[in-house]
Amino acid sequence: MLKQIRDGDWISLVLWLFRAVVILLVLYGTVAKLFFGVGNAYSGRDWANFFISGLSQGSLYALIALGYTLVYGVLFMINFAHGEFFMSGTLTATVFVALPLSASGFLDRTPIIGMMLILITAMSVSMGVALLTERVAYRPLRRAPRLVPLITAIGASFFWQYYFRGLFGSSLIPFPELQVLQGRYTILGVEILKTRAVVIVASLIMLVGLYFFVMRTKTGKAIRAVAEDKDVAALMGIDVDRTIAITFATGAAMAGAAGVLYGLVFRQVVFSMGFVPGIKAFTAAVLGGIGSIPGAALGGLFLGIFEAIGPPLFLEGLGIPGGHQLKDVIAFTMLVLVLIFRPQGIIGERLAEKKA
Amino acid sequence: MAQFDVRETMRLGLLAGVVAVTVSMVGMVESFNQRDVITRYLTLGQLLLFTAPVVAGFLTVKRAGDRSWRALPNGALAGLFAALPIFALLLLTLAVPTIRQQLVNVSPTLIRILTFDNGQLVGGLLMMAAMGGLGLLGAVVYVVPDRISDPISLAVGWTLLVGLLSEVLLNVLRPLLSREVVRFLFGTRGIQWQTAVIIFLILAIAVFLWRNGGRTYYQRIPRQVLHWLALALAILIVWIPRDFSWLPPSINPLWIKIGLTLIPLILEALLFFSTRSATQPALVKSITDNQLGRARLASRYLIVLLILPAILGVYLTEVVDNIGLFILMGLGLNIVVGFAGLLDLGYVAFFAIGAYVTGILTSTGPLGVAGLSFWVALPIAVAASTVSGLILGIPVLRMRGDYLAIVTLGFGEIIRVLAVSDLLKPYIGGAQGVLQIPKPVLFGFTILQPQHFYYIILAGVFLALFIAGRLRDARLGRQWMAMREDEDVAEAMGIHLVNTKLLAFGIGAAFSGLAGSIFAARLGSIFPHSFALLISINVLSLIIVGGMGSLPGVVVGALVLVGLPELLREFAEYRLLLYGALLIAMMVRRPEGLWPSPVRRRELHAEDDLAMQEPA
């Protein structure tokens, strides 16, 4: 660092100062909170609750982040519309499956089959939307300059948001409550909302499943080959277009599933629900090292927990009022910091500047 | 003779049908149906619905390339296929009458529109017949020789556009024409069918004559004559009686009319005599004829622009003001995205900073700190935006392309969240915003009405156009473009990337700050929800649609993407849906934009040529 300053590289200096200030602020807030008791007093159980809610939120981020990571892996592009894949499946499944099933009592009589139906609908609608987007907005532009597919992705994102708003209206739609999932489990003396527990477990199962899909199946091997080098993969007899489409569909299926879990936790869905989780999940993917599946999972969990514990911990410690409003600021600041200082992420499987 | 592929016909037809069903199900057909294009005969909703089979019929025949009458049934077939999805939707509403609980926009009104008020089955069959006929029409357009079909289709297109914008036209023409004439030409909404026929005939004949020899006659008319004609037209527009009630009482409108007539005439006279005399002044010598011609043409536009608020009236001037603000922002973002190639999605942040700085410095309410006048606050606001552009630019200096986009998006959101949060509430008012921002005062005259702001915005736009144009041709502009093409090569050529990038961010932000400052003064109060991400997307869309890196493109983009939705209020709800579709369509079909910069067009076409050669 000293050498950089001597060389007159003031940009590095400014960036280092920026990082130092942020870290100092976080440390100061934490110390003030923990040792001097600034702000509200929280019990150990409160902290456990923050942690658990962060964990369940984080596992949703992880599921969505997979889509970013997979697509980035094969195409080196940020699929800005991924948040909309998440929204489309959930919204459709809620309106056409979950609400009617819940009204007829089917969902409470056979919750497992009901949830399966909801999940399958959400995942297939998300996949359909993803395949359509890929075909229309991305495939024709595969050889275009890098900014071009990003712009179409932004276009696709807004198109889908307002398309579904047109279909289902702009009001909040309630997601049905399952009787089985009311109440709490007590694990090791900590009470956990049943929905949160289900979300965490379901996400873990899906993450592991996806990992095996990519690592152990032939299709997964094709995806990895295309990610490595499209031209050589084509020479090896892999249908590149089809593999890319499968990649999109896989990511979208995970997003669709995440959407249903989101509905379970937050109990309402709306056309604009995809945007913020989408950006957060992207942050998670970058945090973990974009292109890496375990990275996406780790990044998601880390971001969720950090976001849940941050406001009560260091924002209150700094004496900032209304800390929970600034959750998004924490996530975005983290995104900026990671992209500046460690663009390869925690796992760092791939260099961020590798060009397509 | 070309072979027809029935599967291709089916594919195109069904695609058109799906589009038609989509626009119906999201509610566009129903809400656009409230706007008549031709009174009692054609609504915008129907137009939207019926364009699909015409296009399907046209494309089917065009794909096969068959211009004989034998091609016609294929067009009709495509139209019939296009009706199938609509028919399916109608059957669905029969089978599940409660479908509206799920699909909120499948309303009885929509069904009435889709069935011509005849019940699902009969109406559905009618709809099929209509769609088949329209598909046939589309095929006819292709089969008929261009000599005939071009004037007709152009004239139809323009007639429909006039019908669509009839409200604007009515606003402008009402003070000029007697009530009977107005009633003859315009219905309650849209134009009367007589008007449509008249406009269509005039246009069709004009285009036909133009295509068949008119152009060569036109080219024989000396330039001088055209210049004088244009001037005469501009002066005529100045003298048409107008609404000048917004002028300060000390100014007589007559002086303005006389001034706008005499000044250009005197200039023309000076020019005329100076070019005649043997000893030409140095000024005239240094200007080429071409430049002179362009300047004279521009001066005609300027005359009309100066008198415009008096022609348009309050409501339309307000629309134009909005367009102007978006042009200002577009010119700024065009520097960042179009010239320097840095995709900035948080651009609204600088608009917000400009607005908030102006608001806080000038407000007379509890949040105001200085009580400055607008004219002092304006440069401070612009400076504040520039500085924040530089500061936000530093962290993203080393990022490329897509990461930059996401991080700037994050910055925009951070600023918006901060503006709403309790943290900054004591300073900038949180969700309640900053109120009681006084109107600017100029020489003792309060700038109050949209017509007054029009001149401020016009001045701002001209200043911005001038600066952006000069920068583009300056060393800095060339550095930006070199950087846009390839950062590494640009650096190797000795371009200082850090400074160049920061200047792009700073100057781009300054334009946006200027727009924000005027925005704050115009509204008199600012709220954080005015600075949503959608504004950034709006500005980005307009420069992409206009043509990235092109200055006239920004103006065209703003007219189309801001002006049209403001005039057609039905669009408001579907604005972003259409922007999204438009962004994709532009990028796939016409990446250079509606009015591209010459350099960009050449580049993109060179790429096309290479792509064409590749498979060979």
Side-chain angles (χ1 to χ4, degrees):
Chain A
M1 183 188 165
L2 277 176
K3 184 177 172 297
Q4 281 164 335
I5 297 170
R6 239 181 291 135
D7 294 347
D9 186 358
W10 61 275
I11 297 290
S12 296
L13 179 65
V14 171
L15 293 182
W16 275 92
L17 282 178
F18 175 51
R19 167 147 78 168
V21 167
V22 172
I23 292 175
L24 279 179
L25 277 179
V26 171
L27 279 181
Y28 175 82
T30 313
V31 170
K33 178 83 201 175
L34 291 184
F35 298 105
F36 301 99
V38 183
N40 304 337
Y42 296 110
S43 65
R45 180 184 285 175
D46 290 331
W47 287 112
N49 272 336
F50 289 137
F51 183 81
I52 295 292
S53 82
L55 199 64
S56 76
Q57 185 67 40
S59 53
L60 291 182
Y61 291 155
L63 279 182
I64 309 173
L66 287 176
Y68 284 106
T69 269
L70 284 172
V71 167
Y72 193 90
V74 296
L75 285 181
F76 298 101
M77 76 167 262
I78 298 172
N79 177 19
F80 198 84
H82 191 65
E84 269 41 77
F85 302 166
F86 162 80
M87 171 274 295
S88 56
T90 320
L91 216 54
T92 317
T94 308
V95 171
F96 281 120
V97 185
L99 288 177
L101 286 189
S102 153
S104 67
F106 182 86
L107 199 56
D108 282 325
R109 263 180 278 130
T110 45
I112 303 226
I113 297 177
M115 278 313 286
M116 279 296 158
L117 283 176
I118 298 174
L119 266 179
I120 289 169
T121 319
M123 288 164 93
S124 28
V125 171
S126 291
M127 280 161 90
V129 167
L131 289 175
L132 205 61
T133 311
E134 194 270 333
R135 182 70 192 80
V136 174
Y138 302 151
R139 195 180 293 178
L141 300 168
R142 211 163 278 160
R143 305 236 170 234
R146 253 182 130 176
L147 280 190
V148 170
L150 186 64
I151 291 170
T152 55
I154 294 168
S157 167
F158 280 88
F159 176 81
W160 287 122
Q161 264 190 50
Y162 285 83
Y163 176 73
F164 278 92
R165 180 185 131 140
L167 283 188
F168 300 130
S170 56
S171 48
L172 289 168
I173 300 166
F175 191 89
E177 229 172 306
L178 267 74
Q179 278 168 5
V180 212
L181 289 183
Q182 280 165 1
R184 296 157 193 273
Y185 295 118
T186 311
I187 298 169
L188 300 175
V190 181
E191 286 188 343
I192 305 177
L193 282 174
K194 281 187 183 173
T195 43
R196 292 201 190 280
V198 167
V199 166
I200 295 170
V201 172
S203 313
L204 279 180
I205 292 172
M206 268 183 282
L207 284 170
V208 174
L210 185 85
Y211 189 76
F212 278 101
F213 171 70
V214 173
M215 288 306 176
R216 293 287 153 85
T217 63
K218 209 168 175 185
T219 322
K221 209 176 199 175
I223 292 177
R224 280 180 292 137
V226 170
E228 208 60 52
D229 191 320
K230 283 198 262 308
D231 296 328
V232 176
L235 286 178
M236 299 296 125
I238 294 170
D239 185 341
V240 174
D241 277 346
R242 198 168 149 259
T243 310
I244 290 175
I246 291 175
T247 315
F248 268 91
T250 314
M254 294 290 138
V260 174
L261 298 178
Y262 178 97
L264 275 182
V265 177
F266 293 97
R267 299 236 185 80
Q268 54 193 14
V269 291
V270 70
F271 76 99
S272 58
M273 68 188 257
F275 181 71
V276 171
I279 303 280
K280 299 267 185 71
F282 173 75
T283 309
V286 173
L287 200 61
I290 197 156
S292 137
I293 293 171
L298 267 181
L301 294 179
F302 184 71
L303 181 67
I305 293 167
F306 202 73
E307 227 184 46
I309 291 191
L313 188 64
F314 53 82
L315 286 187
E316 272 189 23
L318 288 171
I320 292 174
H324 59 279
Q325 294 169 330
L326 301 180
K327 233 174 163 179
D328 294 356
V329 173
I330 295 182
F332 290 132
T333 312
M334 198 134 107
L335 173 66
V336 176
L337 287 176
V338 172
L339 282 181
I340 295 171
F341 296 108
R342 204 176 156 79
Q344 70 271 41
I346 302 172
I347 302 248
E349 190 174 90
R350 229 181 272 277
L351 278 179
E353 293 204 353
K354 180 169 172 183
K355 278 190 170 176
Chain B
M1 204 199 95
Q3 278 292 306
F4 277 103
D5 185 354
V6 179
R7 276 173 48 201
E8 180 73 4
T9 307
M10 189 169 88
R11 205 178 64 87
L12 279 170
L14 286 179
L15 203 63
V18 168
V19 170
V21 164
T22 303
V23 293
S24 310
M25 288 204 314
V26 297
M28 271 161 100
V29 170
E30 189 186 336
S31 70
F32 286 8
N33 210 44
Q34 287 157 15
R35 180 170 290 269
D36 284 3
V37 178
I38 299 168
T39 311
R40 278 195 290 141
Y41 293 100
L42 184 68
T43 67
L44 182 57
Q46 288 166 336
L47 188 64
L48 195 67
L49 200 58
F50 293 139
T51 312
V54 175
V55 172
F58 180 81
L59 283 182
T60 309
V61 191
K62 193 181 172 197
R63 287 269 166 94
D66 185 354
R67 306 203 86 156
S68 71
W69 59 270
R70 259 169 275 133
L72 294 183
N74 276 282
L77 192 63
L80 287 178
F81 276 121
L84 280 182
I86 296 181
F87 202 61
L89 177 69
L90 292 177
L91 287 182
L92 179 72
T93 59
L94 266 190
V96 193
T98 57
I99 192 75
R100 202 180 174 189
Q101 285 171 4
Q102 276 87 38
L103 298 170
V104 290
N105 277 312
V106 181
S107 63
T109 323
L110 175 70
I111 304 213
R112 241 177 292 140
I113 299 167
L114 291 180
T115 57
F116 310 105
D117 241 340
N118 274 313
Q120 274 91 334
L121 285 177
V122 180
L125 291 176
L126 276 179
M127 174 54 95
M128 274 195 129
M131 293 287 233
L134 289 164
L136 187 69
L137 186 71
V140 169
V141 172
Y142 184 74
V143 168
V144 167
D146 286 346
R147 201 159 41 88
I148 299 169
S149 70
D150 269 11
I152 292 181
S153 40
L154 268 174
V156 168
W158 281 100
T159 311
L160 294 177
L161 192 67
V162 170
L164 207 58
L165 298 178
S166 61
E167 215 172 336
V168 182
L169 216 57
L170 186 62
N171 246 319
V172 173
L173 291 182
R174 192 178 272 148
L176 302 179
L177 304 173
S178 73
R179 198 176 295 165
E180 286 73 35
V181 179
V182 168
R183 205 170 294 156
F184 177 74
L185 292 177
F186 296 96
T188 42
R189 286 179 306 229
I191 50 176
Q192 300 278 24
W193 65 269
Q194 305 94 318
T195 325
V197 171
I198 296 170
I199 296 173
F200 170 77
L201 284 179
I202 294 176
L203 285 173
I205 292 170
V207 175
F208 184 79
L209 289 179
W210 177 260
R211 289 280 163 88
N212 292 288
R215 193 200 304 252
T216 41
Y217 285 114
Y218 173 78
Q219 277 160 351
R220 275 189 222 145
I221 303 173
R223 296 283 114 180
Q224 289 290 337
V225 177
L226 288 179
H227 283 308
W228 284 98
L229 273 179
L231 182 62
L233 192 66
I235 289 174
L236 187 74
I237 292 176
V238 169
W239 279 92
I240 294 173
R242 294 301 172 201
D243 162 35
F244 280 102
S245 58
W246 46 274
L247 271 182
S250 55
I251 299 178
N252 187 340
L254 194 64
W255 299 349
I256 295 192
K257 291 184 184 179
I258 294 176
L260 282 178
T261 315
L262 283 185
I263 293 170
L265 280 177
I266 293 170
L267 284 178
E268 283 292 326
L270 281 178
L271 203 66
F272 186 73
F273 289 115
S274 63
T275 43
R276 274 302 152 87
S277 65
T279 53
Q280 283 184 355
L283 175 77
V284 177
K285 250 187 226 163
S286 64
I287 304 171
T288 63
D289 278 354
N290 199 6
Q291 277 174 323
L292 192 66
R294 240 184 289 162
R296 288 169 78 186
L297 197 65
S299 72
R300 313 303 187 245
Y301 287 125
L302 187 65
I303 295 172
V304 178
L305 276 179
L306 284 176
I307 202 80
L308 203 60
I311 300 176
L312 293 181
V314 181
Y315 167 62
L316 288 179
T317 310
E318 198 139 5
V319 173
V320 174
D321 285 359
N322 258 334
I323 297 175
L325 287 181
F326 272 98
I327 292 178
L328 267 180
M329 280 196 276
L331 286 171
L333 188 64
N334 192 38
I335 288 179
V336 186
V337 179
F339 293 169
L342 306 161
L343 187 56
D344 184 348
L345 295 182
Y347 192 61
V348 70
F350 310 121
F351 182 66
I353 288 170
Y356 268 108
V357 169
T358 310
I360 288 167
L361 288 181
T362 62
S363 170
T364 54
L367 290 171
V369 291
L372 295 178
S373 100
F374 171 73
W375 304 106
V376 181
L378 178 75
I380 301 178
V382 172
S385 306
T386 314
V387 171
S388 49
L390 295 177
I391 292 175
L392 292 189
I394 291 172
V396 297
L397 277 175
R398 300 200 175 138
M399 287 172 203
R400 292 189 184 206
D402 29 16
Y403 278 6
L404 181 97
I406 299 281
V407 168
T408 47
L409 177 91
F411 281 149
E413 285 295 289
I414 288 179
I415 290 202
R416 194 184 56 82
V417 173
L418 284 179
V420 190
S421 72
D422 292 344
L423 175 61
L424 295 178
K425 194 168 180 184
Y427 313 106
I428 61 172
Q432 278 87 46
V434 182
L435 308 173
Q436 296 176 31
I437 302 168
K439 299 286 177 190
V441 177
L442 189 62
F443 303 123
F445 175 69
T446 311
I447 293 175
L448 194 67
Q449 309 246 36
Q451 284 99 328
H452 308 148
F453 277 102
Y454 171 85
Y455 289 101
I456 296 184
I457 294 170
L458 188 69
V461 167
F462 271 118
L463 182 73
L465 272 174
F466 176 75
I467 295 176
R470 299 299 293 175
L471 282 175
R472 178 193 54 193
D473 300 334
R475 179 179 292 227
L476 185 58
R478 288 165 194 284
Q479 289 178 341
W480 281 334
M481 285 175 218
M483 195 173 71
R484 175 185 76 197
E485 297 311 323
D486 193 319
E487 277 189 16
D488 298 331
V489 175
E491 192 163 27
M493 291 291 149
I495 292 174
H496 196 297
L497 286 186
V498 171
N499 293 357
T500 318
K501 273 192 187 177
L502 284 182
L503 277 171
F505 280 121
I507 296 172
F511 284 43
S512 189
L514 176 65
S517 185
I518 299 175
F519 176 82
R522 191 168 75 114
L523 281 194
S525 47
I526 41 182
F527 307 103
H529 70 74
S530 314
F531 308 107
L533 170 76
L534 304 183
I535 305 274
S536 300
I537 300 297
N538 212 325
V539 179
L540 181 71
S541 310
L542 78 88
I543 65 171
I544 284 166
V545 168
M548 270 192 277
S550 148
L551 300 182
V554 174
V555 179
V556 171
L559 282 175
V560 175
L561 289 196
V562 183
L564 273 187
E566 295 262 354
L567 294 177
L568 306 171
R569 282 175 300 280
E570 292 84 358
F571 267 66
E573 203 171 325
Y574 303 102
R575 199 169 169 157
L576 284 151
L577 182 89
L578 296 172
Y579 283 5
L582 207 57
L583 277 187
I584 300 174
M586 285 310 275
M587 280 294 125
V588 174
R589 288 276 163 209
R590 200 179 154 85
E592 74 268 29
L594 289 177
W595 191 320
S597 65
V599 181
R600 198 90 184 140
R601 178 164 36 195
R602 241 177 290 138
E603 279 167 11
L604 285 161
H605 278 266
E607 274 166 26
D608 280 352
D609 293 345
L610 282 179
M612 297 273 270
Q613 283 160 13
E614 224 167 82

